[in-house]
Amino acid sequence: MTQSPGPEPGAAFLAAAGEALAAARRIVALTGAGVSAESGLATFRGPGGHWRQHRPEDLATPQAFARDPLLVWEWYAERRALAAAAQPNPAHLALARLEQARHPGDFTLVTQNVDGLHRRAGSTNPIELHGSLWIVRCTGCRRERRDESVPLAPLPPRCSACGALERPAIVWFGERLPEEALPRAFGAVDAADLMLVAGTSGLVYPAAGLIERAVARGAMTIEVNPESTPHSGAVRFALRGAAGMVLPRLIGEP
Ligand code: OAD
């Protein structure tokens, strides 16, 4: 039995997972949109999710941007405003505390989220596999800059160096992940004896391949999600519950 039986993990099951976490020497954590759900930010595939309301090919592809950069930017500007207004929740804070309790190098956070909430919670160097809402990249000279202004004006922004359109530094469908992000993430998985996965449907590759790699290596694996995922049957502990409730308890907070 690898899955917590009820709607919430039982105390003994959670305690066993917590003991495994405490005993781990090197930890890698992978997060997805579900970790920010309790901050009020929409997931992608769940009820009210982005991809239930919009077609990705209209908003999150290079072709969509070439067709209508303003439309694409308006959607990202709205997400920037919502993310800026949101606060890190107990799940983000628990992951930051887990990092602080470990020696540098013994904890790596890999996230698919672009909202910046892990950093705001205190995580120092998350690997942002899918980019960041807060970085814009010139489509001409490719210069990147951090811009946290809300609202971002004017839209669409233009590069002050070369005048070309700037785009969100987000990985769109059909695009490669940022250079070095994926090798770093796989390196962290290969070095870890425990992988903690929270708030992701595990459907999007290559990120989901990190979970498969940890399972294949025989690492201890813990998944935190209110729903079952394609990986739930393969991980050692599938803890059913909201990340903001489960993660603080998992790291031993009252
Ligand atoms: P999804 O929307 O695919 O999945 C969110 C997951 O979070 C689901 O499995 C939910 O059951 C779970 N969930 C919901 N509320 C939760 C909570 N309070 N605590 C824990 N889990 C909760 O989002 P991702 O897996 O992040 O890519 O999606 C992966 C990628 O697909 C995204 O990064 C995005 C999207 O296309 C890009 O934009 C490049």
Side-chain angles (χ1 to χ4, degrees), residues 195-217:
M195 183 171 197
L196 176 60
V197 181
T200 179
S201 59
L203 292 171
V204 173
Y205 287 78
L210 296 167
I211 309 169
E212 292 170 355
R213 175 87 143 239
V215 169
R217 286 188 62 252

Side-chain angles (χ1 to χ4, degrees), residues 32-34 38 44-45 51 112 130 171 199-201 204 225-227 243:
E38 290 156 84
F44 289 89
R45 294 171 181 81
W51 301 151
Q112 298 164 87
H130 293 164
V171 178
T200 179
S201 59
V204 173
N225 198 312
E227 309 283 338

Side-chain angles (χ1 to χ4, degrees), residues 160-186:
S160 62
C162 78
L165 276 179
E166 288 177 313
R167 57 164 279 181
I170 302 266
V171 178
W172 285 333
F173 286 89
E175 293 188 320
R176 282 166 181 265
L177 271 53
E179 212 177 324
E180 291 186 15
L182 202 57
R184 275 183 68 207
F186 272 103

Side-chain angles (χ1 to χ4, degrees), residues 120-228:
R120 281 173 53 200
S123 292
T124 56
N125 193 18
I127 300 175
E128 294 174 314
L129 284 181
H130 293 164
S132 169
L133 281 175
W134 309 110
I135 299 176
V136 298
R137 182 166 70 239
C138 176
T139 57
C141 67
R142 304 187 65 78
R143 187 185 71 158
E144 288 194 351
R145 64 186 178 89
R146 183 166 275 273
D147 185 327
E148 297 184 357
S149 51
V150 172
L152 184 63
L155 279 186
R158 286 194 173 270
C159 177
S160 62
C162 78
L165 276 179
E166 288 177 313
R167 57 164 279 181
I170 302 266
V171 178
W172 285 333
F173 286 89
E175 293 188 320
R176 282 166 181 265
L177 271 53
E179 212 177 324
E180 291 186 15
L182 202 57
R184 275 183 68 207
F186 272 103
V189 170
D190 287 346
D193 50 347
L194 184 141
M195 183 171 197
L196 176 60
V197 181
T200 179
S201 59
L203 292 171
V204 173
Y205 287 78
L210 296 167
I211 309 169
E212 292 170 355
R213 175 87 143 239
V215 169
R217 286 188 62 252
M220 176 60 72
T221 42
I222 303 174
E223 176 186 68
V224 180
N225 198 312
E227 309 283 338
S228 179

